Amino acid sequence: MSIISLITGWPGPSGFGSASTAEDVTQGIDAAGLTAIVTGGASGIGLETVRVLAIRKVHVIIGARNIEAANKARQQLLEENPSAKLDVLKLDLSSIKSTREFAENFLALNLPLNILINNAGVMFCPFQLSEDGIEMQFATNHLGHFLLTNLLVEKMKNTAKNTGIEGRIVNLSSIAHAHTYGDGIRFNKLNDKNGYSDKRAYGQSKLANILHVKELTRRFQEEGVNITANAVHPGLIMTPLMRHSMLLMRLLQAFTFFIWKNVPQGASTTCYVALHPNLKGVSGKYFLDNNEKRPSSYARDGKLAKKLWDFSKDLISSVSKA
C-alpha cells in the first residue's frame, strides 16, 4: 500500500484499505460454529477483534493476564451482544508456566479450535528479563506465542480434519519488524543488556512473528495440513501497548496524525485475515491495511525462519528443564 492509499483510505486489491473497519471487512460473514482464541483480548485492538468475531458468531476465548479486566470487558461485550459466546482464561505470555497452564485449561474445555490470534504484546520496554530469564519483549511477543501455538496446533489439526474447515493462525507483527538489530535476531546476545535497544528489541520480536508464520507454513504444507498462518501489521493506533513510550508516541502522532488509525480500523486486518473467504489457502504472508505487503528481506529468509524455530524450541526446553 502506498502512502497515498494509507492517508486517503483508498482500497487496495482486496477491496479494503486503511480506512476499513473490522466490521467492514467481515460484513456478511456467518462464522457460527467456529471457535477462536485471542490473546490480549481484554483491551485495545484485541478487544475490538473479540467484539467483531463475536458479532460474526464465533465462540471466542480471551486469553488475558489481567483476569479482572478481562471479565469486565467480557461483561460489557455481553451487554452489547447478549448472544455472544465468550470465555476468559488466564494467560501471561512472558511466563512459560502460565502459557502451558492456559493451553491445558483450554484443552480441558474440549472445544474445537479453528482460529488462533496471537495478538498480545509489549512494546518499547526498558531492559528486563522475564521470570524465565528471557528478554521481555522477545519472551512475550514471540516465545510465548511460539509455545502456545505448538501446544495447540494438534487441536487445530484435528479440528480442521474433523470439520473440513480450514484453520487459521494470525500473528500480530508490525512494520517495525524492519527496524531490528544488524543480524535480524540476536541469537547469541538475546539477554545481553549491552547494546540493548528498546526499539530494536521490539523490531526483533516483530520480525520473529513473521518468521514464525513462514516456518509454520512450510511445515503445514509439507504435512498437507489444512491450516494457514499469516502475519499482520495493524497500523499506528494509540493503545495501552504504548504505555512505555506514551509521551513520545503522542508527540509523533501530533506530526503524523494523518496516518494514524482508530481502534476499529486497527483491528480490521486481523479480522480480515482470520475470517475472510478470499484468503482461503493463503499462507505465509504479511498483510498491511487489509492487503498483502512484501516484508523485509530478513522476514523472507527461510533459513533464518528455520534457525529461529530451532532456537526457540531449544530455549523453551532449556528453561523447562531448569
Side-chain angles (χ1 to χ4, degrees):
M1 299 292 285
S2 70
I3 188 66
I4 295 176
S5 297
L6 178 61
I7 295 171
T8 62
W10 287 343
S14 69
F16 304 109
S18 62
S20 302
T21 67
E23 288 197 38
D24 292 337
V25 302
T26 58
Q27 190 64 44
I29 295 176
D30 184 349
L34 300 187
T35 302
I37 290 173
V38 179
T39 69
S43 64
I45 58 176
L47 178 57
E48 177 66 3
T49 299
V50 171
R51 186 186 75 83
V52 173
L53 291 183
I55 289 175
R56 305 304 174 217
K57 302 179 183 179
V58 179
H59 181 179
V60 185
I61 288 77
I62 302 169
R65 184 171 52 184
N66 186 331
I67 288 293
E68 183 179 349
N71 280 321
K72 183 177 180 180
R74 175 182 179 272
Q75 188 57 43
Q76 291 174 341
L77 292 178
L78 287 172
E79 290 173 3
E80 174 189 323
N81 179 12
S83 64
K85 294 182 179 180
L86 301 169
D87 289 296
V88 173
L89 291 176
K90 172 81 172 179
L91 174 61
D92 179 355
L93 285 155
S94 71
S95 163
I96 288 176
K97 180 176 182 288
S98 176
T99 302
R100 290 189 185 281
E101 288 176 349
F102 172 89
E104 290 173 2
N105 291 334
F106 171 76
L107 293 173
L109 296 175
N110 200 29
L111 294 169
L113 181 58
N114 307 93
I115 302 167
L116 173 60
I117 299 179
N118 292 320
N119 165 84
V122 293
M123 183 178 184
F124 300 166
C125 299
F127 180 82
Q128 58 182 305
L129 299 179
S130 71
E131 67 178 42
D132 301 305
I134 302 166
E135 189 276 310
M136 186 61 77
Q137 295 192 79
F138 189 87
T140 305
N141 297 350
H142 166 66
L143 202 65
H145 284 128
F146 175 85
L147 175 59
L148 180 65
T149 302
N150 282 358
L151 292 171
L152 297 177
V153 72
E154 289 303 319
K155 168 63 75 172
M156 293 195 73
K157 289 178 183 179
N158 290 335
T159 300
K161 182 178 180 180
N162 293 336
T163 63
I165 300 172
E166 178 183 82
R168 295 189 182 186
I169 297 171
V170 184
N171 279 5
L172 264 75
S173 180
S174 169
I175 198 169
H177 79 272
H179 184 67
T180 183
Y181 294 107
D183 296 325
I185 307 289
R186 297 207 312 175
F187 293 107
N188 297 324
K189 297 182 178 179
L190 183 66
N191 299 329
D192 190 349
K193 189 174 182 179
N194 293 328
Y196 175 80
S197 161
D198 58 351
K199 310 298 187 299
R200 292 189 184 276
Y202 178 71
Q204 173 180 249
S205 70
K206 296 290 101 178
L207 170 62
N209 293 148
I210 303 178
L211 292 172
H212 181 206
V213 301
K214 185 173 183 65
E215 179 63 11
L216 271 173
T217 294
R218 186 190 70 78
R219 289 168 179 264
F220 288 157
Q221 292 176 346
E222 192 175 79
E223 294 179 44
V225 175
N226 189 23
I227 303 174
T228 63
N230 292 289
V232 306
H233 169 52
L236 285 171
I237 310 106
M238 191 65 69
T239 73
L241 181 65
M242 296 179 174
R243 60 186 174 275
H244 291 291
S245 55
M246 192 61 72
L247 183 59
L248 175 62
M249 289 298 105
R250 290 203 179 279
L251 182 62
L252 177 63
Q253 186 182 39
F255 290 96
T256 59
F257 63 90
F258 47 86
I259 63 173
W260 287 68
K261 296 181 179 182
N262 58 37
V263 169
Q265 292 168 338
S268 66
T269 307
T270 301
C271 290
Y272 174 70
V273 174
L275 283 185
H276 206 283
N278 284 356
L279 292 187
K280 181 175 175 60
V282 175
S283 191
K285 305 298 183 181
Y286 169 65
F287 289 83
L288 167 71
D289 296 335
N290 300 293
N291 288 273
E292 186 181 334
K293 177 79 173 177
R294 193 180 191 208
S296 72
S297 58
Y298 279 135
R300 305 193 304 272
D301 188 335
K303 291 183 179 179
L304 184 61
K306 176 65 165 59
K307 183 177 181 179
L308 175 65
W309 182 284
D310 293 339
F311 174 82
S312 301
K313 191 173 181 180
D314 290 344
L315 181 57
I316 290 169
S317 179
S318 67
V319 169
S320 299
K321 292 176 181 177

PDB file of all heavy atoms in Angstrom, residues 24-40:
ATOM      1  N   ASP A  24     -16.436  -3.737   8.731  1.00  0.00           N
ATOM      2  CA  ASP A  24     -16.499  -3.627   7.262  1.00  0.00           C
ATOM      3  C   ASP A  24     -15.982  -4.899   6.594  1.00  0.00           C
ATOM      4  O   ASP A  24     -16.611  -5.434   5.677  1.00  0.00           O
ATOM      5  CB  ASP A  24     -15.658  -2.450   6.766  1.00  0.00           C
ATOM      6  CG  ASP A  24     -16.212  -1.092   7.149  1.00  0.00           C
ATOM      7  OD1 ASP A  24     -17.429  -0.990   7.405  1.00  0.00           O
ATOM      8  OD2 ASP A  24     -15.421  -0.127   7.196  1.00  0.00           O
ATOM      9  N   VAL A  25     -14.808  -5.349   7.020  1.00  0.00           N
ATOM     10  CA  VAL A  25     -14.146  -6.452   6.312  1.00  0.00           C
ATOM     11  C   VAL A  25     -14.772  -7.811   6.605  1.00  0.00           C
ATOM     12  O   VAL A  25     -14.484  -8.788   5.903  1.00  0.00           O
ATOM     13  CB  VAL A  25     -12.635  -6.500   6.641  1.00  0.00           C
ATOM     14  CG1 VAL A  25     -11.970  -5.185   6.270  1.00  0.00           C
ATOM     15  CG2 VAL A  25     -12.380  -6.838   8.103  1.00  0.00           C
ATOM     16  N   THR A  26     -15.642  -7.882   7.612  1.00  0.00           N
ATOM     17  CA  THR A  26     -16.314  -9.151   7.930  1.00  0.00           C
ATOM     18  C   THR A  26     -17.813  -9.082   7.649  1.00  0.00           C
ATOM     19  O   THR A  26     -18.550 -10.002   8.018  1.00  0.00           O
ATOM     20  CB  THR A  26     -16.097  -9.527   9.408  1.00  0.00           C
ATOM     21  OG1 THR A  26     -16.604  -8.469  10.244  1.00  0.00           O
ATOM     22  CG2 THR A  26     -14.614  -9.756   9.706  1.00  0.00           C
ATOM     23  N   GLN A  27     -18.254  -8.010   7.018  1.00  0.00           N
ATOM     24  CA  GLN A  27     -19.668  -7.826   6.736  1.00  0.00           C
ATOM     25  C   GLN A  27     -20.221  -9.022   5.958  1.00  0.00           C
ATOM     26  O   GLN A  27     -19.653  -9.447   4.959  1.00  0.00           O
ATOM     27  CB  GLN A  27     -19.887  -6.554   5.922  1.00  0.00           C
ATOM     28  CG  GLN A  27     -21.342  -6.132   5.780  1.00  0.00           C
ATOM     29  CD  GLN A  27     -21.972  -5.756   7.122  1.00  0.00           C
ATOM     30  OE1 GLN A  27     -21.365  -5.054   7.912  1.00  0.00           O
ATOM     31  NE2 GLN A  27     -23.175  -6.221   7.367  1.00  0.00           N
ATOM     32  N   GLY A  28     -21.332  -9.583   6.449  1.00  0.00           N
ATOM     33  CA  GLY A  28     -21.991 -10.680   5.749  1.00  0.00           C
ATOM     34  C   GLY A  28     -21.409 -12.056   6.032  1.00  0.00           C
ATOM     35  O   GLY A  28     -21.914 -13.065   5.530  1.00  0.00           O
ATOM     36  N   ILE A  29     -20.353 -12.133   6.831  1.00  0.00           N
ATOM     37  CA  ILE A  29     -19.739 -13.422   7.144  1.00  0.00           C
ATOM     38  C   ILE A  29     -20.427 -14.044   8.359  1.00  0.00           C
ATOM     39  O   ILE A  29     -20.519 -13.425   9.416  1.00  0.00           O
ATOM     40  CB  ILE A  29     -18.229 -13.267   7.425  1.00  0.00           C
ATOM     41  CG1 ILE A  29     -17.492 -12.799   6.164  1.00  0.00           C
ATOM     42  CG2 ILE A  29     -17.634 -14.578   7.929  1.00  0.00           C
ATOM     43  CD1 ILE A  29     -16.020 -12.517   6.371  1.00  0.00           C
ATOM     44  N   ASP A  30     -20.916 -15.258   8.193  1.00  0.00           N
ATOM     45  CA  ASP A  30     -21.521 -16.003   9.300  1.00  0.00           C
ATOM     46  C   ASP A  30     -20.519 -17.065   9.744  1.00  0.00           C
ATOM     47  O   ASP A  30     -20.293 -18.043   9.041  1.00  0.00           O
ATOM     48  CB  ASP A  30     -22.822 -16.663   8.844  1.00  0.00           C
ATOM     49  CG  ASP A  30     -23.558 -17.372   9.979  1.00  0.00           C
ATOM     50  OD1 ASP A  30     -22.960 -17.529  11.068  1.00  0.00           O
ATOM     51  OD2 ASP A  30     -24.722 -17.780   9.779  1.00  0.00           O
ATOM     52  N   ALA A  31     -19.919 -16.852  10.898  1.00  0.00           N
ATOM     53  CA  ALA A  31     -18.882 -17.766  11.385  1.00  0.00           C
ATOM     54  C   ALA A  31     -19.392 -18.638  12.525  1.00  0.00           C
ATOM     55  O   ALA A  31     -18.610 -19.092  13.363  1.00  0.00           O
ATOM     56  CB  ALA A  31     -17.659 -16.968  11.826  1.00  0.00           C
ATOM     57  N   ALA A  32     -20.687 -18.872  12.565  1.00  0.00           N
ATOM     58  CA  ALA A  32     -21.269 -19.713  13.608  1.00  0.00           C
ATOM     59  C   ALA A  32     -20.613 -21.093  13.579  1.00  0.00           C
ATOM     60  O   ALA A  32     -20.385 -21.662  12.517  1.00  0.00           O
ATOM     61  CB  ALA A  32     -22.776 -19.838  13.401  1.00  0.00           C
ATOM     62  N   GLY A  33     -20.308 -21.596  14.762  1.00  0.00           N
ATOM     63  CA  GLY A  33     -19.691 -22.910  14.861  1.00  0.00           C
ATOM     64  C   GLY A  33     -18.182 -22.878  14.976  1.00  0.00           C
ATOM     65  O   GLY A  33     -17.558 -23.893  15.285  1.00  0.00           O
ATOM     66  N   LEU A  34     -17.572 -21.714  14.716  1.00  0.00           N
ATOM     67  CA  LEU A  34     -16.128 -21.590  14.822  1.00  0.00           C
ATOM     68  C   LEU A  34     -15.725 -21.175  16.237  1.00  0.00           C
ATOM     69  O   LEU A  34     -16.459 -20.452  16.916  1.00  0.00           O
ATOM     70  CB  LEU A  34     -15.596 -20.556  13.825  1.00  0.00           C
ATOM     71  CG  LEU A  34     -15.842 -20.807  12.342  1.00  0.00           C
ATOM     72  CD1 LEU A  34     -15.097 -19.767  11.512  1.00  0.00           C
ATOM     73  CD2 LEU A  34     -15.431 -22.212  11.935  1.00  0.00           C
ATOM     74  N   THR A  35     -14.557 -21.611  16.650  1.00  0.00           N
ATOM     75  CA  THR A  35     -14.005 -21.238  17.948  1.00  0.00           C
ATOM     76  C   THR A  35     -12.648 -20.576  17.738  1.00  0.00           C
ATOM     77  O   THR A  35     -11.833 -21.066  16.954  1.00  0.00           O
ATOM     78  CB  THR A  35     -13.830 -22.467  18.857  1.00  0.00           C
ATOM     79  OG1 THR A  35     -15.087 -23.112  19.022  1.00  0.00           O
ATOM     80  CG2 THR A  35     -13.285 -22.057  20.225  1.00  0.00           C
ATOM     81  N   ALA A  36     -12.430 -19.474  18.419  1.00  0.00           N
ATOM     82  CA  ALA A  36     -11.174 -18.736  18.289  1.00  0.00           C
ATOM     83  C   ALA A  36     -10.599 -18.409  19.652  1.00  0.00           C
ATOM     84  O   ALA A  36     -11.335 -18.207  20.618  1.00  0.00           O
ATOM     85  CB  ALA A  36     -11.395 -17.441  17.499  1.00  0.00           C
ATOM     86  N   ILE A  37      -9.285 -18.344  19.708  1.00  0.00           N
ATOM     87  CA  ILE A  37      -8.574 -17.809  20.867  1.00  0.00           C
ATOM     88  C   ILE A  37      -7.956 -16.493  20.445  1.00  0.00           C
ATOM     89  O   ILE A  37      -7.332 -16.402  19.383  1.00  0.00           O
ATOM     90  CB  ILE A  37      -7.469 -18.763  21.342  1.00  0.00           C
ATOM     91  CG1 ILE A  37      -8.082 -20.018  21.980  1.00  0.00           C
ATOM     92  CG2 ILE A  37      -6.539 -18.073  22.347  1.00  0.00           C
ATOM     93  CD1 ILE A  37      -7.058 -21.086  22.333  1.00  0.00           C
ATOM     94  N   VAL A  38      -8.137 -15.458  21.269  1.00  0.00           N
ATOM     95  CA  VAL A  38      -7.496 -14.165  21.024  1.00  0.00           C
ATOM     96  C   VAL A  38      -6.677 -13.824  22.260  1.00  0.00           C
ATOM     97  O   VAL A  38      -7.225 -13.596  23.336  1.00  0.00           O
ATOM     98  CB  VAL A  38      -8.530 -13.047  20.757  1.00  0.00           C
ATOM     99  CG1 VAL A  38      -7.813 -11.719  20.530  1.00  0.00           C
ATOM    100  CG2 VAL A  38      -9.406 -13.392  19.563  1.00  0.00           C
ATOM    101  N   THR A  39      -5.369 -13.801  22.123  1.00  0.00           N
ATOM    102  CA  THR A  39      -4.529 -13.423  23.259  1.00  0.00           C
ATOM    103  C   THR A  39      -4.538 -11.897  23.389  1.00  0.00           C
ATOM    104  O   THR A  39      -4.618 -11.183  22.391  1.00  0.00           O
ATOM    105  CB  THR A  39      -3.086 -13.928  23.095  1.00  0.00           C
ATOM    106  OG1 THR A  39      -2.438 -13.218  22.034  1.00  0.00           O
ATOM    107  CG2 THR A  39      -3.065 -15.422  22.798  1.00  0.00           C
ATOM    108  N   GLY A  40      -4.500 -11.428  24.629  1.00  0.00           N
ATOM    109  CA  GLY A  40      -4.565  -9.982  24.840  1.00  0.00           C
ATOM    110  C   GLY A  40      -5.874  -9.396  24.379  1.00  0.00           C
ATOM    111  O   GLY A  40      -5.926  -8.277  23.861  1.00  0.00           O
TER     112      GLY A  40
END
